[in-house]
């Protein structure tokens, strides 16, 4: 970074506006990256066809697949999508893509987001009226609602849930740059914190002939800005949106700043010109000069101007004179500033022209290259380039960084005289100074989509993007975690670096990408704390080294335990070189092992809570009950550690004993017990643990082996939960009595009784002594947990013992998420990757996560990543175009009984297709299909998932009510939004009995009770 650039980053001007995201659709280019590739290569994206007998060439800048739209993503029914003006459809998709490019999820962003934009005037409304046969029951007002320019930005605000100003701008060709100016002013005034700004002009089908005044259009279909042979412009379609934020906020939030707007100005020519449509030198010059003054820049520091440049014989000379006049007020230097116009490549995109020019400038700054002006050979003789500040070049010109910031102007002029000018400045590379989180260590990449197909495509796109390198994986993870909306279909991978991520995302290692679905409602979490047995040297080492919350908890426990133990638990858990044998011997004792395990479990509980994962229920196994009680608020952590230390001393002081895991049920095992043996734990219907004197346990093991029963000794050197502990119970109860005990603040399931712990039991010292002695009935506790809610299960401790017991329990269902916080001793790793994997499983299940905690509260930068892969279908009123490849688009079908229009194919849904069977179901299904414009629909398909809304529902309910002669209101429909559910309600109302087949009735009341307030 140069010294001036370093100084620039230190001084953040309060009036600077950061451009933090961009998206667009352009002639010949479906996105911003493809647009730039074409510009840099000098490509002209104009479609031409000779006009027979006229000598003219019809030309148009055609946006590819402008009739494709992902209706389901935005909650539109196919029929609604067909009605919606294509430019509004594309503007909506661009708005979503721009916010994703900025790493801004409107649902999670704490500030206010506004939207400013405008669109062109099309014939879509007239086409709708010509094809009324496709829209039975639809009124002309609804047609106008689907096409009106006034609704462009408010529709975006509604569909994206934006609460800031939604302002539709109409100033003809300068519309989108005026929208940028207004958005910047709104940010500076504090009306919003983020603003979308742009415009769209899209015509489907695109016009090729008779599109305008021949005096304005180039006869040969080529747009030649500033050239001597220029004889007119070329029309085109396009859309563009930029995302703006106050610069100081963008830097504080770690946004990628593509460039900054230093200043902008808007004015009108007024009456000082020869006609309404004529341009004015003075008016244009005044807007440019005002922008310079507001930006506080001298014109001689501006290296490029993206002109309006329409290539009309009158317009270009006037514009260059106006620019030269404005520049001349600040400098007399000649030939220092490049002049160009993107219209030479794509044509005049009308309402979208200004913002597309702005996007071109931002890309030129990023790539240090100014694309050439296509078709330029020699200057228009009416344009004086020799004595003015400007130079026009047909070839691309390098624009390298220098000792001072590079600057550009963007000029946009509207018929009627509304002029807009914006001064843009580069900003230092976002990889340089600014907030950045830890880049080392594994990262959790999370993906989500509305459909499974989109999710798979999203993973592939991201993998291909990461192949190109250049983006820190921590930035990628942070952007995915905080800058993307969470949908039902979810996938995640824990990756060590970029190459590892590519393998996980592109299918090279398919097992690495874990896919699943989020629960319909936010999932709760149950914390499971294991007992002794999984301990090992180095457990959770990564967490101790990387996670301050965890480290502080372990440090506190170690310091509290040191006076009694005479050693530092941390030296046992994480011994230095050469001290492993000493540490292993200490960890083998109950006195040291039990407080060490408690410290790890307590630290994990605090770490998970810091990550936003708070348990609704806790359950511990034997020793784990103390961490569970502490988490539930029954014991203060220091008091819990006091009891654990005492427990370890008691168990170490017992006569020689051991424990044996036996794969038999309680009833089958009891007859085999003799001597001092007893059942320490019942972990499952056929899983028990026997405890007692070591010699008795060994004899039982030999006897079982002879009978073919494979019993396994546990790594516990004491006979816990056996009669051997009885002499110590009175003293232990007395110690508990000196501890402050509180009722559980969180539901705590007892591993001794299998039932939730009551306030009385939690505060009774005798129950704590009984817990030390009596059988652990963990299988009963699991039954209570698994039948008491749809909680995700999270094990907090080394290994996966409790996770395995839960999965083997008869009450366990395969769709219940189970996660482990730490790896097993046999698995390499210190816990960081396993904890991220568990975080991914919980997020996938729908558990909210505080992502900033994964980055220690200081997030990395947001990165520009591939946008959502919309699952588009073709929507066009003039029918299929046989010259085009229709895949993957879907046109309206011509199914029987629909007067030539059977509707669109059923989109991808989670519900399986089930055909209507009863008369009631068939009538309701037919009403659904007609209202939504679908050719087929299953009885379990949700009306609202298919794009239905309250307006459509009102019409639909009226039709069903008349057809079935039943009292039916909209309120009931909202309660039962599938064919099967609504049919069941109708049948219950008509007969008093639930309808069959289908779903059970929704609610306990007949329709009359549900609809009391909805009846006309």
């Amino acid at each position: 970074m140069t010294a001036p650039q370093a100084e620039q980053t230190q001084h953040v001007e309060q009036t600077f506006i950061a451009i933090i995201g961009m998206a667009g659709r352009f002639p010949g280019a479906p996105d911003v990256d493809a647009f730039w590739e074409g510009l840099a290569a000098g490509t002209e994206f104009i479609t031409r066809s000779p006009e027979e007998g006229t000598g003219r060439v019809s030309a148009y800048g055609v946006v590819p697949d402008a009739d494709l739209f992902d209706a389901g993503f935005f909650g539109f029914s196919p029929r609604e999508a067909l009605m919606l003006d294509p430019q509004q459809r594309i503007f909506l998709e661009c708005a979503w893509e721009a916010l994703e490019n900025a790493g801004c999820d409107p649902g999670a962003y704490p500030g206010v987001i506004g939207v400013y934009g405008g669109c062109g005037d099309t014939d879509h409304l007239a086409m709708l009226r010509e094809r009324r046969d496709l829209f039975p029951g639809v009124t002309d007002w609804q047609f106008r609602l689907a096409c009106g320019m006034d609704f462009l930005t408010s529709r975006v605000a509604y569909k994206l849930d934006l609460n800031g100003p939604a302002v539709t701008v109409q100033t003809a060709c300068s519309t989108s740059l005026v929208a940028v100016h207004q958005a910047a002013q709104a940010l500076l005034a504090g009306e919003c914190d983020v603003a979308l700004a742009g415009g769209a002009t899209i015509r489907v089908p695109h016009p090729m002939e008779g599109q305008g005044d021949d005096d304005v259009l180039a006869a040969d279909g080529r747009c030649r800005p500033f050239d001597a042979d220029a004889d007119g412009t070329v029309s085109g379609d396009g859309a563009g949106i930029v995302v703006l934020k106050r610069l100081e906020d963008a830097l504080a939030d770690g946004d990628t700043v593509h460039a900054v707007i230093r200043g902008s100005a808007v004015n009108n020519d007024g009456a000082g010109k020869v006609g309404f449509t004529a341009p004015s030198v003075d008016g244009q010059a005044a807007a440019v000069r005002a922008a310079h003054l507001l930006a506080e820049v001298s014109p001689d520091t501006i290296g490029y101007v993206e002109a309006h440049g329409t290539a009309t014989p009158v317009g270009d000379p006037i514009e260059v004179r106006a620019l030269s006049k404005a520049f001349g007020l600040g400098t007399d230097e000649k030939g220092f500033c490049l002049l160009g116009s993107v219209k030479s490549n794509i044509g005049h995109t009308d309402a979208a022209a200004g913002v597309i020019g702005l996007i071109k400038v931002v890309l030129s700054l990023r790539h240090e290259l100014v694309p050439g002006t296509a078709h330029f050979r020699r200057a228009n003789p009416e344009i004086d380039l020799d004595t003015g500040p400007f130079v026009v070049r047909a070839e691309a010109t390098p624009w390298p960084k220098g000792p001072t910031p590079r600057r550009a102007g963007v000029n946009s002029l509207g018929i009627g005289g509304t002029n807009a000018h914006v001064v843009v400045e580069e900003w230092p590379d976002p990889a340089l100074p600014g907030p950045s989180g830890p880049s080392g260590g594994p990262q959790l990449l999370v993906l989500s989509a509305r459909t499974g197909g989109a999710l798979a495509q999203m993973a592939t796109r991201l993998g291909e993007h990461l192949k190109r390198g250049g983006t820190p994986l921590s930035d990628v993870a942070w952007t995915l975690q905080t800058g993307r909306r969470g949908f039902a279909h979810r996938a995640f991978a824990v990756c060590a670096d970029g190459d590892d991520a590519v393998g996980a995302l592109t299918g090279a290692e398919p097992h690495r990408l874990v896919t699943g679905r989020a629960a319909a409602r936010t999932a709760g979490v149950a914390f499971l704390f294991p007992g002794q047995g999984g301990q090992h040297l180095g457990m959770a080492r990564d967490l101790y080294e990387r996670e301050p919350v965890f480290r502080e908890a372990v440090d506190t426990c170690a310091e509290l335990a040191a006076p009694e133990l005479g050693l530092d638990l941390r030296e046992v858990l994480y011994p230095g070189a050469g001290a492993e044998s000493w540490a292993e011997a200490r960890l083998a004792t109950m006195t040291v092992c039990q407080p060490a395990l408690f410290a790890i479990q307590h630290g994990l509980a605090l770490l998970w809570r810091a990550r936003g994962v708070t348990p609704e229920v806790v359950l511990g196994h034997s020793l784990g009950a103390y961490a569970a009680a502490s988490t539930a608020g029954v014991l203060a952590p220091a008091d819990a550690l006091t009891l654990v230390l005492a427990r370890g001393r008691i168990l170490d002081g017992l006569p020689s004993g051991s424990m044996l895991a036996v794969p038999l049920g309680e009833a089958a095992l009891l007859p085999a017990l003799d001597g001092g043996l007893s059942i320490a734990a019942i972990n499952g219907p056929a899983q028990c643990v026997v405890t007692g004197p070591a010699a008795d346990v060994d004899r039982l093991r030999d006897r079982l082996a002879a009978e073919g029963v494979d019993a396994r000794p546990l790594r516990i050197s004491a006979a816990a939960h056996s009669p051997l502990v009885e002499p110590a119970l009175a003293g232990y109860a007395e110690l508990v009595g000196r501890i402050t005990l509180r009722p559980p603040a969180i539901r705590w399931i007892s591993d001794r009784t299998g039932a939730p712990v009551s306030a009385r039991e939690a505060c009774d010292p005798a129950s704590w002594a009984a817990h030390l002695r009596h059988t652990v009935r963990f299988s009963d506790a699991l039954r209570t947990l698994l039948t008491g809610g749809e909680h995700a299960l999270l094990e907090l401790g080394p290994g996966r013992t409790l996770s395995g017991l839960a999965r083997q329990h008869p009450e366990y269902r395969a769709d219940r998420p189970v996660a482990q916080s730490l790896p097993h001793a046999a698995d390499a790793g210190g816990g960081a990757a396993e904890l991220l994997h568990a975080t991914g499983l919980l997020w996938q299940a729908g558990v909210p996560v505080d992502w900033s905690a994964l980055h220690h509260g200081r997030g990395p930068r947001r990165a520009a990543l591939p946008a959502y892969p919309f699952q588009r279908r073709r929507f066009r009123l003039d029918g299929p175009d046989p010259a085009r490849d229709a895949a993957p688009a879907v046109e309206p079908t011509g199914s029987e009984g629909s007067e030539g229009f059977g509707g669109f194919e059923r989109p991808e849904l989670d519900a399986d297709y089930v055909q209507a069977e009863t008369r009631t179901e068939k009538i309701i299904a037919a009403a659904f299909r007609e209202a939504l414009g679908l050719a087929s629909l299953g009885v379990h398909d949700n009306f609202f998932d298919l794009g239905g809304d309250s307006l459509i529902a009102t019409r639909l309910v009226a039709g069903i009510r008349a057809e079935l002669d039943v009292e039916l209101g909209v309120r009931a429909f909202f309660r039962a939004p599938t064919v099967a559910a609504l049919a069941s309600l109708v049948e219950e109302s008509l007969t008093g009995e639930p309808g069959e087949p289908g779903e059970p009735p929704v609610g306990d009341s007949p329709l009359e009770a549900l609809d009391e307030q909805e009846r006309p």
Side-chain angles (χ1 to χ4, degrees):
M1 181 190 299
T2 66
Q5 287 174 321
E7 181 180 351
Q8 184 186 25
T9 64
Q10 295 170 6
H11 173 66
V12 178
E13 180 61 47
Q14 297 295 312
T15 59
F16 285 8
I17 298 297
I19 300 172
I20 63 172
M22 301 181 293
R25 301 278 295 278
F26 313 91
D31 54 41
V32 169
D33 290 339
F35 176 56
W36 173 254
E37 288 177 9
L39 291 181
T43 305
E44 184 194 18
F45 297 104
I46 300 298
T47 301
R48 296 186 182 86
S49 65
E51 293 182 13
E52 189 173 348
T54 67
R56 299 181 62 86
V57 175
S58 290
Y60 203 77
V62 179
V63 170
D65 293 325
D67 53 359
L68 297 184
F69 181 56
D70 191 342
F73 181 87
F74 293 103
F76 288 104
S77 72
R79 178 158 287 159
E80 280 185 300
L82 190 61
M83 289 168 53
L84 193 61
D85 189 329
Q87 58 189 348
Q88 301 215 19
R89 299 195 301 236
I90 283 183
F91 190 78
L92 185 56
E93 286 189 347
C94 287
W96 183 272
E97 290 174 334
L99 284 171
E100 284 202 330
N101 185 256
C104 179
D105 171 16
Y109 182 66
V112 175
I113 302 176
V115 55
Y116 295 77
C119 59
D121 186 14
T122 71
D123 297 326
H124 190 70
L125 179 59
M127 294 176 66
L128 285 175
R129 288 167 173 160
E130 290 175 2
R131 296 303 311 272
R132 283 186 180 276
D133 58 300
L134 302 181
F135 309 99
V138 176
T139 66
D140 197 69
W141 180 81
Q142 289 171 282
F143 283 163
R144 286 185 279 115
L145 190 66
C147 300
M149 297 179 180
D150 291 347
F151 310 120
L152 176 77
T153 55
S154 54
R155 181 169 279 113
V156 170
Y158 172 64
K159 289 296 182 179
L160 273 57
D161 193 20
L162 311 181
N163 302 118
V167 179
T168 298
V169 179
Q170 296 297 336
T171 63
C173 316
S174 60
T175 289
S176 57
L177 202 64
V178 172
V180 170
H181 168 78
Q182 290 193 339
Q185 296 303 305
L187 288 165
L188 295 175
E191 294 176 357
C192 53
D193 302 296
V194 171
L196 295 164
T201 298
I202 302 291
R203 299 172 180 87
V204 175
H206 58 266
M208 286 301 295
E209 296 183 12
Q211 43 177 304
D213 188 344
D214 287 346
D215 292 338
V216 174
L217 300 178
D220 65 352
R222 284 178 169 80
C223 184
R224 296 181 170 89
F226 320 119
D227 192 78
D229 294 328
D231 66 344
T233 194
V234 173
S235 297
D237 285 347
I241 292 181
V242 293
V243 183
L244 308 178
K245 183 186 279 189
R246 291 180 291 270
L247 178 60
E248 58 183 332
D249 294 342
L251 297 177
D253 293 342
D255 296 319
T256 294
V257 178
H258 300 289
V260 296
I261 295 174
R262 282 193 62 122
S264 62
V266 169
N267 73 358
N268 192 275
D269 296 335
K273 52 188 179 179
V274 297
F276 176 70
T277 61
S280 162
V281 170
D282 292 341
Q284 293 178 27
V288 176
R289 183 57 177 165
H292 291 171
L293 295 173
L294 289 166
E296 297 181 343
V297 299
S298 173
D300 58 12
T301 65
I302 296 173
Y304 175 61
V305 169
E306 172 65 23
H308 192 62
T310 59
T312 57
V314 174
D316 281 6
I318 289 178
E319 182 181 11
V320 176
R321 284 201 294 273
L323 288 167
S324 299
K325 179 177 181 179
F327 272 61
L329 295 173
T331 181
D332 56 4
E333 288 195 34
K334 312 299 180 186
F336 65 89
C337 183
L338 286 169
L339 185 69
S341 172
V342 73
K343 294 178 181 64
S344 66
N345 304 93
I346 65 173
H348 189 353
T349 55
D350 193 47
V355 73
I356 291 177
L358 175 60
I359 290 172
K360 173 189 171 183
V361 164
V362 173
L363 294 171
S364 297
L365 288 168
R366 178 197 297 175
H367 295 281
E368 303 183 22
L369 182 75
V370 177
T373 298
H375 311 304
F376 183 80
R377 298 294 179 267
R378 56 192 179 89
N380 184 327
E382 297 297 321
I383 298 176
D384 183 9
L385 294 180
D386 295 333
T387 62
F390 300 109
V391 177
V392 181
R393 291 181 181 151
E395 69 281 356
T397 304
W399 195 12
K401 294 180 179 179
T404 58
R406 294 170 299 158
R407 294 176 182 141
V410 183
N411 207 43
S412 192
L413 316 171
I415 289 179
T418 299
N419 311 302
H421 195 84
V422 173
V423 177
V424 183
E425 181 173 289
E426 70 173 321
W427 193 254
D429 190 326
L432 293 169
S436 181
S439 58
Q443 299 292 331
L444 174 60
L445 308 185
V446 296
L447 307 173
S448 73
R450 285 195 182 274
T451 67
L455 184 65
Q457 192 175 349
M458 181 183 293
T460 301
R461 280 189 181 182
L462 180 60
E464 294 299 325
H465 174 81
L466 295 180
K467 276 184 182 179
R468 297 192 287 271
T471 306
L473 194 62
S474 58
D475 290 2
V476 174
W478 175 249
T479 303
L480 294 172
Q481 291 161 3
T482 64
R484 299 295 170 96
R485 181 71 57 87
F487 297 114
H489 292 266
R490 300 188 174 190
F492 73 90
V494 178
C495 305
D497 53 34
D499 291 340
D500 189 35
V502 170
L505 294 168
T506 58
E509 303 171 79
H511 64 284
R512 295 279 308 287
L513 188 66
V514 183
T515 59
R517 278 184 55 80
R521 66 176 186 85
T522 301
V525 181
F527 281 8
L528 308 182
F529 297 93
Q532 193 171 336
Q535 67 277 0
H536 59 90
L537 296 185
M539 56 182 169
R541 182 190 294 273
D542 285 355
L543 306 185
Y544 185 79
E545 293 174 349
R546 299 166 185 247
E547 301 292 342
V549 171
F550 180 82
R551 181 169 58 250
E552 183 179 355
V554 172
D555 288 347
T556 299
C557 288
E559 291 161 6
L560 290 172
E564 183 167 330
L565 296 177
L567 54 79
D568 191 326
L569 283 176
R570 292 164 290 193
E571 295 177 359
V572 175
L573 289 168
Y574 315 117
E580 292 86 356
S581 297
W582 171 84
E584 191 74 59
R586 300 302 178 277
L587 196 61
T589 67
M590 308 292 272
T591 301
V592 174
C593 178
Q594 299 223 339
L597 280 169
F598 173 82
I600 296 296
Q601 293 177 345
H602 173 58
L604 285 171
L606 293 183
L607 180 56
W608 279 113
R609 281 180 151 168
R611 293 188 172 190
V613 179
T614 300
E616 292 182 355
V617 59
V618 295
L619 168 60
H621 187 293
S622 190
L623 169 67
Y626 291 83
S630 176
T631 303
V634 174
L635 290 167
D639 291 337
L641 182 62
T642 296
L643 297 182
V644 169
L645 287 165
R647 191 177 192 271
R649 288 196 310 272
I650 290 171
L651 295 178
D652 259 347
L654 298 180
S656 178
S658 61
M659 305 181 81
L660 185 71
V662 182
L664 294 174
E666 180 182 14
L669 182 58
L670 281 173
L673 302 183
D674 56 15
L677 298 177
S678 58
I679 296 179
I682 302 170
N683 292 327
Q687 298 183 66
C688 291
V689 175
V690 174
T691 183
D696 293 344
V697 171
D698 289 342
R699 283 194 296 272
L700 175 64
R701 182 186 182 192
D702 293 342
R703 193 162 65 250
L704 291 173
E707 297 172 2
V709 178
D710 184 20
R712 180 175 55 87
L714 301 182
R715 294 178 58 200
I716 299 177
S717 58
H721 303 287
S722 77
L724 295 178
V725 303
E726 290 181 358
L729 295 183
Y732 186 72
E734 182 181 350
L735 173 63
V736 176
R738 298 198 296 268
I739 296 291
T740 299
L741 300 169
R742 303 173 186 84
I746 296 173
R747 187 168 177 247
W748 170 29
I749 299 175
S750 170
D751 61 321
R752 180 175 68 86
T753 67
V757 177
S758 66
R760 180 175 180 180
E761 183 182 0
C763 298
D764 182 7
S767 70
W768 287 91
H771 179 269
L772 183 61
R773 162 64 183 90
H774 294 298
T775 300
V776 173
R777 296 192 169 273
F778 195 72
S779 182
D780 293 341
L782 276 177
R783 179 174 290 104
T784 300
L785 173 62
L786 295 174
T787 59
E790 300 297 321
H791 303 93
L793 308 182
L794 177 62
E795 185 165 0
L796 282 75
R800 46 187 174 268
T801 300
L802 300 192
S803 301
L805 293 176
R807 287 191 175 98
Q808 296 163 22
H809 198 278
E811 298 293 341
Y812 175 77
R813 293 198 326 270
D815 60 349
R816 185 188 290 265
V818 180
Q820 301 84 42
S821 300
L822 295 176
H824 188 273
D827 300 328
E834 189 76 17
L835 196 77
L836 287 178
H837 187 86
T839 304
L841 284 171
L842 294 179
W843 168 82
Q844 190 173 72
V847 177
V849 175
D850 181 355
W851 297 114
S852 65
L854 271 67
H855 304 272
H856 308 156
R858 192 162 180 251
R861 293 186 178 276
R862 290 183 174 85
L865 302 177
Y868 185 92
F870 290 122
Q871 305 300 286
R872 297 181 173 109
R873 312 172 85 183
R874 200 173 299 286
F875 296 93
R876 56 187 301 145
L877 290 165
D878 60 334
D881 185 345
R884 307 167 74 142
D885 178 9
V890 181
E891 278 86 13
T893 66
S895 300
E896 183 179 354
S898 59
E899 298 181 356
F901 179 76
F904 289 81
E905 293 182 4
R906 178 177 180 265
E908 178 183 345
L909 297 170
D910 296 322
D912 293 332
Y913 176 78
V914 178
Q915 191 170 359
E917 295 184 12
T918 68
R919 174 180 177 273
T920 301
E921 286 182 341
K922 290 178 180 178
I923 290 172
I924 294 175
F928 273 39
R929 290 197 303 271
E930 181 174 331
L932 297 171
L934 290 170
S936 62
L937 180 141
V939 297
H940 300 306
D941 296 347
N942 189 294
F943 173 81
F944 298 104
D945 289 344
L946 291 166
D949 58 25
S950 58
L951 185 63
I952 301 174
T954 302
R955 297 200 315 269
L956 187 148
V957 165
I960 295 175
R961 183 191 296 130
E963 182 76 16
L964 292 173
D965 191 24
V966 64
E967 287 292 331
L968 177 65
V970 176
R971 188 169 162 216
F973 185 79
F974 275 80
R975 295 281 304 279
T978 68
V979 170
L982 193 58
S984 184
L985 277 176
V986 169
E987 292 293 340
E988 182 182 10
S989 177
L990 292 173
T991 66
E993 297 293 334
E996 295 291 346
E999 299 173 356
V1002 178
D1004 300 324
S1005 303
L1007 290 176
E1008 287 82 356
L1010 286 174
D1011 303 331
E1012 184 176 357
Q1013 298 178 2
E1014 299 293 337
R1015 274 194 224 125

